[in-house]
């Protein structure tokens, strides 16, 4: 019925003009959403999903950089995309939105009350609005500034702000992507209830198929500015017909994913690395792509003797080690306290309380826990970036040199004015292996490692900013393993990446682990990724390791309340 | 907020104490004998001894420092070696002169800063030309601007604005020393307008550079505020651009601008020394340069202390203003 249709987008095309080039962000997209329905717009970075989200609320600046054709009808009013002067009337009344980054999406200099009262009309109405998004003690929250609230609270405030004008259409642009998994589940619940009460139509933009299935009635999958598949959520997720959707679905990892094999569809870069490794191991060249597609490719195929350590570092001499009892990383009763001063008094924050654990030779251990559980501090102490107040850390290991860290934000962890070759050389020069090597030898090492992580000689001269997010993370990993460390410390290396890229980075880490024989400490708040990489999962909360669970049957074996909450937070 | 202000005031006292100590020490280690300056080169040995005692220079150093601090707190900086008059008397007319000029210069700085900030972001040729002109103005030293403005407004435009002194009429006997305020208090529009005219050129010369710098920081702040996620939120909630600038961007952009203003105020205090010379302004600056000429150390110390105190107080005010503008400063 026409009168219940809130949003109709017809043949929308958006192009951006810049540096003499014209980029088509969205091409001939048509969508409709009825009142009370939620449409999920799913796609990876650059698919054009956020451009549509911005276009239907008219916040693409009309400065001539962006041009659009097609039409957008909101609540019966037809608007020309971008340029229509009527957008100023539609925005904030018929259409409002919730954005991704709750840290920065609220004006830091204003109290919540001052922001909210403007749209609700009175403090009483604001309290009611906050209570609708399940904020307790709303009266106090009104007097606070954004920086005094947690991420989850801020996003609830955002939802309250967006729903205050009583919109017909709500745009939710990755509303929970920046939140911790367990908070994400809560906020999604709040959002779902609030929009059901409000009865508005919702355009839900996300890269996460799990979140989309959880939230949406219908799903449209986008790739390169085009909708490749659309339909009811269960059909698109359950029986994807488009190859791209199928690939996206295959890249999703859950608590049931097979850990012994590579995940996702065969990917050229990873396949090349695998063939490389097999050649190095003198294994009969098997058809990697074929075996992967058939599900016959297991990580065991890449497990070599410790010889691989020598091979990758450019040292041909082989050291065979049969039985290793010495741990690669031994953390013993580590304590860490951060002190701050508030109102002249010292406030101690005991971040790590007598934490002890070991990572064996060739073992992979994941550390899971929410923000503030102390997991990242523990990683920094293990990596020698910070020192413990008391307790010891031994990362001597048997093979490899020391520890290396791969961070979440690869772009920020690579010095921007250095070329990839210089970045890798810097690491080589600071190791025993690299002592006395010539430029050419180091270059050869860098090149073979880059090939191992699925890059080629062309990136040697590139600077980090010229690379994509996935490439940056590969370079960061290459830098960490160019001289294999005894332990590779990974701090949420995939949480900033698109699903398919994250998937290939996880495959890469697994490949390196098996072929180079390095131990891994994997810090994350994503249980599914933890389970895929690690043999054991340590659950951290409040600065203590509360549980150690074998990875294989993680979902069944985890016992603590906190662990169960994390399991439930992984949206199936 | 109150405890924040209290803390700032506490550190202000500490800074002033060390400033005093520094000035005092400089006087002691400087290679000139104050007694000789006081009595002259040809005085007898007895006269020198008598003067030494009179000036308190026989006392142990800590006692001298204590009496120096005690005097400074009460506004007594001792006797000028050159004129033999109490320094506080000499400063009583000069301090208001400088403060009045500094106040106007600061006000003009803010006016120039805010109005240029809105021009800065103009796209196209006009913006580019304006940026060029003001950049040149900002990079010129203040004495050059001072002489140029005298040339333009006094000489070429036929004495449109006065180029020397503070007033055509002289001070009121019962005045505060701030001529504009005196004029208003005595309900004399002629006197007030005349004082303002005298103030304009020196204040302009002292404020152009600071104003342009301020404009730049403010304009950058506003434009980055406007592209921030919270500005997008405001847009999505239907706010118009003008409202976003007034309600959100100005406040967020003012933190860096205020910090800059504090630094610029310090530079301005020192540039006043030069500007006062050019405009024959009988303030602290011209007093200081004549005192340096004859090695009148107590006078130099007094002016340094006062200028330093003005600078420190201004900085404290800015810190408090920063805290008022940005809740993250006072609440974390």
């Amino acid at each position: 019925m026409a009168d219940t249709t809130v949003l109709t987008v017809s043949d929308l095309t958006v192009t951006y003009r810049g540096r003499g080039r014209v980029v088509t962000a969205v091409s001939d997209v048509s969508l409709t959403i009825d009142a009370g329905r939620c449409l999920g717009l799913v796609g990876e970075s650059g698919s054009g999903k956020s451009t549509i989200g911005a276009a239907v609320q008219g916040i693409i600046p009309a400065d001539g950089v962006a041009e659009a054709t097609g039409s957008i009808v909101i609540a019966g009013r037809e608007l020309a995309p971008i340029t229509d002067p009527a957008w100023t009337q539609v925005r904030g009344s018929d259409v409002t939105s919730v954005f991704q980054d709750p840290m920065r999406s609220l004006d830091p200099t204003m109290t919540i009350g001052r922001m909210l009262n403007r749209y609700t009309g009175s403090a009483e109405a604001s309290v009611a609005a906050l209570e609708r998004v399940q904020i307790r003690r709303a009266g106090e929250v009104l007097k606070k500034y954004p920086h005094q609230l947690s991420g989850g609270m801020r996003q609830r405030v955002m939802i309250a702000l967006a729903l205050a004008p009583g919109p017909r259409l709500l745009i939710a642009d990755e509303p929970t992507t920046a939140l911790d998994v367990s908070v994400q589940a809560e906020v999604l619940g709040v959002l779902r209830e609030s929009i059901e009460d409000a009865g508005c139509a919702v355009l839900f933009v996300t890269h996460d198929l799990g979140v989309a299935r959880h939230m949406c009635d219908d799903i449209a999958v986008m790739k390169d500015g085009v909708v490749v598949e659309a339909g009811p959520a269960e059909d698109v997720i359950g029986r994807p017909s488009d190859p791209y959707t199928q690939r996206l679905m295959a890249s999703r990892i859950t608590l049931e994913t097979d850990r012994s094999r590579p995940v996702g569809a065969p990917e050229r870069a990873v396949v090349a690395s695998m063939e490389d490794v097999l050649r190095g191991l003198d294994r009969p060249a098997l058809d990697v792509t074929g075996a992967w597609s058939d599900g016959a490719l297991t990580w065991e195929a890449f497990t070599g003797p410790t010889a691989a350590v020598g091979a990758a570092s450019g040292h041909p001499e082989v050291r065979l080690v049969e039985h290793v009892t010495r741990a690669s990383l031994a953390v013993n009763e580590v304590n860490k306290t951060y002190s701050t001063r508030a109102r002249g008094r010292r406030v101690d924050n005991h971040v790590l309380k007598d934490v002890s654990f070991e990572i064996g030779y060739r073992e992979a251990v994941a550390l899971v826990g929410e923000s503030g559980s102390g997991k990242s501090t523990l990683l920094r102490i293990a990596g020698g970036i910070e020192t413990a107040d008391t307790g010891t850390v031994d990362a001597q290991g048997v093979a490899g040199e020391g520890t290396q860290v791969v961070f979440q934000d690869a772009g920020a962890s690579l010095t921007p004015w250095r070329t990839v070759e210089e970045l890798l050389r810097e690491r080589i020069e600071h190791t025993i292996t690299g002592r006395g090597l010539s430029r050419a030898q180091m270059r050869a090492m860098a090149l073979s490692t880059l090939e191992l992580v699925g890059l080629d000689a062309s990136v040697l001269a590139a600077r980090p900013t010229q690379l994509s997010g996935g490439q940056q993370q590969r370079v960061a990993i290459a830098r960490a393993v160019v001289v294999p460390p005894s332990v590779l410390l990974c701090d949420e290396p995939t949480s900033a990446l698109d699903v398919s890229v994250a998937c290939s980075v996880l495959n890469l880490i697994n490949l390196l682990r098996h072929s180079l024989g390095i131990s891994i400490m994997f810090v994350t708040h994503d249980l599914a990724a933890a389970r895929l990489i690690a043999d054991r999962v340590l659950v951290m909360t409040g600065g203590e390791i509360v549980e150690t669970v074998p990875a294989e049957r993680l979902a069944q074996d985890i016992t603590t309340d906190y662990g169960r909450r994390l399991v439930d937070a992984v949206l199936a | 907020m109150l405890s924040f202000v209290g803390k700032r005031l506490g550190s202000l006292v500490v800074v002033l104490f060390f400033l005093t100590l520094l000035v005092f020490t400089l006087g002691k280690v400087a290679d000139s004998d104050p007694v000789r300056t006081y009595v002259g080169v040809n005085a007898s040995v007895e006269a020198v001894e008598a003067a030494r005692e009179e000036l308190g220079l026989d006392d142990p150093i800590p006692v001298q420092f204590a009496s120096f601090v005690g005097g400074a707190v009460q506004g007594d900086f001792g006797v000028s070696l050159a004129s033999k008059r109490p320094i506080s008397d000499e400063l009583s007319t000069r301090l208001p002169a400088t403060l009045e000029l500094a106040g106007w210069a600061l006000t003009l700085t803010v006016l120039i800063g805010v109005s240029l900030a809105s021009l800065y972001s103009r796209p196209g040729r006009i913006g580019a030309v304006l940026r060029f002109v003001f950049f040149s103005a900002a990079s010129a030293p203040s004495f050059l601007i001072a002489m140029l403005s005298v040339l333009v407004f006094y000489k070429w435009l036929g004495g449109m604005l006065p180029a020397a002194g503070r007033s055509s009429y002289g001070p009121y006997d019962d005045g505060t020393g701030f001529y504009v305020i005196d004029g208003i208090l005595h309900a004399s529009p002629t006197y007030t307008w005349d004082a303002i005219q005298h103030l304009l050129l020196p204040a302009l010369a002292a404020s152009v550079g600071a104003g342009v710098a301020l404009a730049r920081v403010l304009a950058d702040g506003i434009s980055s505020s406007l592209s921030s996620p919270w500005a997008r939120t405001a847009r999505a909630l239907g706010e118009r651009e003008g409202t976003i600038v007034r309600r959100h961007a100005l406040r967020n952009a003012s933190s860096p601008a205020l910090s800059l203003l504090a630094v610029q105020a310090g530079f301005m205090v020192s540039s006043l020394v030069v500007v006062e010379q050019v405009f024959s302004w009988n303030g602290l600056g011209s007093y200081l340069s004549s005192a340096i000429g004859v090695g009148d150390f107590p006078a130099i110390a007094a002016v340094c202390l006062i200028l330093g105190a003005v600078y420190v107080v201004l900085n404290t005010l800015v810190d408090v203003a920063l805290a008022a503008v940005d809740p993250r400063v006072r609440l974390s």
Side-chain angles (χ1 to χ4, degrees):
Chain A
M1 284 204 305
D3 54 325
T4 62
T5 302
V6 175
L7 173 71
T8 309
V9 175
S10 325
D11 301 324
L12 180 68
T13 297
V14 182
T15 54
Y16 289 100
R17 187 189 306 276
R19 293 192 186 173
R21 287 188 311 160
V22 176
V23 182
T24 306
V26 173
S27 129
D28 277 333
V29 167
S30 300
L31 304 164
T32 58
I33 313 177
D34 290 350
R37 302 282 285 179
C38 176
L39 172 71
L41 208 53
V42 183
E44 300 191 286
S45 311
S47 62
K49 59 186 193 303
S50 290
T51 302
I52 294 184
V56 298
Q57 54 184 314
I59 54 169
I60 296 179
D63 52 8
V65 177
E67 280 172 21
T69 57
S71 89
I72 298 172
V73 181
I74 293 172
R77 186 204 292 242
E78 178 160 359
L79 296 131
I82 301 179
T83 51
D84 205 312
W87 277 117
T88 51
Q89 294 152 37
V90 175
R91 220 160 44 209
S93 57
D94 287 336
V95 193
T96 58
S97 60
V98 177
F99 292 104
Q100 172 176 358
D101 190 351
M103 298 302 211
R104 299 190 297 138
S105 290
L106 299 170
D107 186 340
T109 63
M110 262 191 204
T111 60
I112 305 299
R114 200 161 161 239
M115 266 181 262
L116 200 51
N117 291 348
R118 183 173 171 90
Y119 307 105
T120 56
S122 69
E124 292 78 47
S126 297
V127 167
L130 287 185
E131 277 166 356
R132 271 199 295 281
V133 292
Q134 295 169 26
I135 290 180
R136 276 165 304 213
R137 285 187 273 176
E140 283 170 37
V141 172
L142 284 183
K143 291 186 205 123
K144 301 225 165 173
Y145 289 92
H147 74 278
Q148 296 172 302
L149 302 176
S150 69
M153 286 289 270
R154 280 185 241 195
Q155 202 59 309
R156 285 168 205 233
V157 169
M158 268 301 288
I159 296 171
L161 267 173
L163 292 176
R168 307 282 303 276
L169 173 67
L170 178 76
I171 317 292
D173 190 352
E174 306 263 12
T176 57
T177 308
L179 301 175
D180 267 357
V181 259
S182 60
V183 180
Q184 164 175 330
E186 283 169 33
V187 171
L188 285 179
V190 167
L191 183 59
R192 178 141 207 135
E193 278 176 36
S194 314
I195 52 194
E196 269 166 20
D197 290 347
C200 56
V202 179
L203 180 67
F204 195 93
V205 178
T206 182
H207 70 276
D208 190 332
L209 282 165
V211 171
R213 172 193 233 169
H214 187 79
M215 289 296 296
C216 306
D217 306 304
D218 303 290
I219 287 178
V221 180
M222 288 196 70
K223 180 178 191 288
D224 301 333
V226 181
V227 173
V228 292
E229 182 167 7
E234 284 312 312
D235 290 354
V236 174
I237 302 272
R239 293 179 294 281
S241 60
D242 183 82
Y244 177 71
T245 318
Q246 287 167 356
R247 259 214 338 270
L248 267 189
M249 283 304 294
S251 314
R252 293 197 58 234
I253 47 171
T254 66
L255 292 172
E256 309 299 325
T257 308
D258 187 352
R259 300 179 54 243
S260 60
R261 296 178 170 76
V263 288
E267 200 203 341
R268 204 154 40 83
V270 179
V271 167
S273 315
M274 287 173 168
E275 286 167 349
D276 217 39
V277 169
L278 289 176
R279 259 197 306 282
L281 288 171
D282 267 342
R283 297 259 160 92
L286 89 157
D287 169 21
V288 174
T289 315
W292 186 342
S293 323
D294 299 344
L297 189 70
T298 61
W299 291 120
E300 269 173 26
F302 305 99
T303 312
T306 324
V309 175
S313 60
H315 280 241
E317 62 269 28
V318 173
R319 281 187 300 152
L320 266 178
V321 185
E322 289 298 332
H323 297 287
V324 178
T325 47
R326 187 191 166 90
S328 293
L329 177 72
V331 172
N332 198 13
E333 295 189 356
V334 160
N335 277 284
K336 182 77 183 174
T337 302
Y338 291 116
S339 302
T340 47
R341 286 192 167 275
R343 294 172 190 278
R345 270 180 314 169
R346 216 172 99 137
V347 179
D348 284 343
N349 185 11
H350 205 164
V351 196
L352 294 175
K353 298 167 188 161
D354 278 332
V355 176
S356 302
F357 71 96
E358 286 191 347
I359 300 181
Y361 173 64
R362 286 196 155 168
E363 194 191 17
V365 169
L367 216 56
V368 299
E370 286 171 301
S371 303
S373 60
K375 59 187 197 305
S376 292
T377 307
L378 190 52
L379 177 130
R380 286 198 297 274
I381 288 176
I385 301 169
E386 280 188 51
T387 50
D389 295 340
T390 62
T392 57
V393 174
D394 178 5
Q396 214 54 49
V398 197
E401 288 192 40
T403 54
Q404 279 291 295
V405 189
V406 175
F407 292 99
Q408 173 176 0
D409 188 349
S413 75
L414 300 171
T415 314
W417 58 84
R418 295 234 155 155
T419 64
V420 171
E421 187 183 350
E422 286 166 345
L423 287 167
L424 265 62
R425 195 164 65 219
E426 193 178 32
R427 159 68 181 158
I428 299 173
E429 281 168 349
H430 287 89
T431 59
I432 301 163
T433 315
R435 217 169 271 169
L437 291 184
S438 69
R439 281 271 169 111
Q441 283 170 310
M442 288 195 269
R443 190 189 169 94
M445 269 174 85
L447 194 57
S448 71
T449 311
L450 285 174
E451 279 165 2
L452 189 62
V453 300
L455 299 170
D456 56 37
S458 65
V459 300
L460 272 178
R463 284 173 225 284
T465 45
Q466 298 166 311
L467 305 173
S468 71
Q471 286 175 319
Q472 288 175 347
Q473 197 55 284
R474 281 165 201 273
V475 169
I477 292 172
R479 177 173 63 173
V481 302
V482 63
V483 172
S486 87
V487 190
L488 182 65
L489 308 168
C490 304
D491 192 0
E492 311 248 16
T494 56
S495 55
L497 301 174
D498 271 334
V499 211
S500 60
V501 182
C503 181
S504 82
V505 167
L506 288 176
N507 281 334
L508 178 63
I509 292 176
N510 253 335
L511 176 67
L512 292 172
R513 176 197 162 194
H514 286 90
S515 62
L516 300 181
I518 44 185
S519 305
I520 288 178
M521 174 173 168
F522 191 85
V523 169
T524 182
H525 60 236
D526 181 355
L527 267 196
R531 182 181 158 280
L532 199 69
I533 294 287
D535 306 313
R536 284 186 294 146
V537 174
L538 312 180
V539 183
M540 268 195 97
T541 171
E544 289 172 289
I545 294 176
V546 291
E547 191 172 16
T548 305
V549 199
E552 185 57 45
R553 285 167 42 79
L554 187 65
Q556 293 80 26
D557 290 349
I558 213 160
T559 56
T560 49
D561 282 354
Y562 178 75
R564 293 239 57 93
R565 268 194 16 236
L566 285 180
V567 170
D568 294 338
V570 179
L571 300 168
Chain B
M1 188 72 194
L2 265 180
S3 75
F4 181 87
V5 175
K7 222 182 278 175
R8 282 277 160 239
L9 286 177
S11 59
L12 183 142
V13 171
V14 174
V15 170
L16 282 180
F17 174 80
F18 280 103
L19 180 66
T20 315
L21 185 62
L22 183 73
V23 167
F24 179 79
T25 314
L26 274 178
K28 288 296 149 199
V29 299
D31 193 22
S32 75
D33 187 357
V35 180
R36 280 288 164 199
T37 316
Y38 189 63
V39 296
V41 192
N42 303 319
S44 64
V45 179
E46 291 77 29
V48 168
E49 282 311 311
R52 194 175 292 282
E53 208 180 316
E54 185 191 334
L55 292 172
L57 293 171
D58 281 344
D59 299 332
I61 298 278
V63 175
Q64 288 186 35
F65 181 62
S67 70
F68 181 68
V69 172
V73 168
Q74 297 164 30
D76 174 12
F77 296 98
V79 177
S80 162
L81 299 179
S83 67
K84 318 271 190 302
R85 291 179 53 211
I87 295 169
S88 49
D89 285 359
E90 301 198 309
L91 291 185
S92 65
T93 56
R94 290 169 178 269
L95 182 60
T98 294
L99 286 183
E100 184 170 40
L101 180 55
W104 277 73
L106 263 183
T107 313
L108 266 184
T109 303
V110 174
L111 279 179
I112 293 174
V114 173
S115 47
L116 279 192
S118 57
L119 290 177
Y120 242 105
S121 42
R122 276 284 151 79
R125 283 257 168 85
I126 304 170
V129 169
L130 278 172
R131 275 193 289 275
F132 177 76
V133 169
F134 288 115
F135 248 119
S136 325
S139 52
S142 54
F143 66 85
L144 199 67
I145 296 176
M147 292 187 323
L148 266 176
S149 58
V150 169
L151 209 61
V152 174
F153 289 99
Y154 184 72
K155 191 155 181 231
W156 294 348
L157 295 178
M160 186 179 149
L161 285 171
R166 297 183 63 194
S167 168
S168 315
Y169 308 106
Y172 283 101
D173 290 336
D174 56 346
T176 57
F178 297 93
Y179 284 12
V180 175
I181 294 175
D182 284 345
I184 294 169
L185 287 179
H186 287 84
S188 161
T190 333
Y191 189 87
T192 312
W193 178 234
D194 176 69
I196 291 176
Q197 281 184 320
H198 279 84
L199 270 164
L200 275 179
L201 282 189
L204 188 74
S207 61
V208 167
V212 173
L214 186 68
R216 215 197 134 100
V217 170
L218 205 55
D220 285 351
I222 288 176
S223 82
S224 73
S225 287
L226 285 179
S227 57
S228 70
W230 46 258
R232 185 183 57 181
T233 303
R235 247 168 242 137
L237 284 164
E239 303 291 1
R240 284 160 196 279
E241 287 303 303
T243 317
I244 297 174
V245 170
R246 278 194 308 279
R247 210 173 127 82
H248 300 280
L250 262 182
R251 197 182 171 105
N252 275 281
S254 54
S255 302
L258 277 171
S259 309
L260 181 85
L261 195 62
V263 178
Q264 291 290 348
F267 288 133
M268 186 176 294
V269 167
S270 53
S271 77
L272 281 184
V273 175
V274 178
V275 170
E276 284 185 4
Q277 287 288 316
V278 176
F279 291 97
S280 320
W281 195 266
N282 258 333
L284 291 181
S286 47
Y287 185 67
L288 181 64
S289 42
S290 60
I292 291 174
V294 297
D296 187 351
F297 204 83
I300 299 173
V303 175
C304 285
L305 264 186
I306 290 173
L307 290 184
V310 169
Y311 180 55
V312 174
V313 169
L314 273 177
N315 263 288
T316 306
L317 283 179
V318 167
D319 275 350
V320 173
L322 268 178
V325 163
D326 191 340
R328 286 166 298 185
V329 173
R330 65 175 187 270
L331 293 175
S332 58

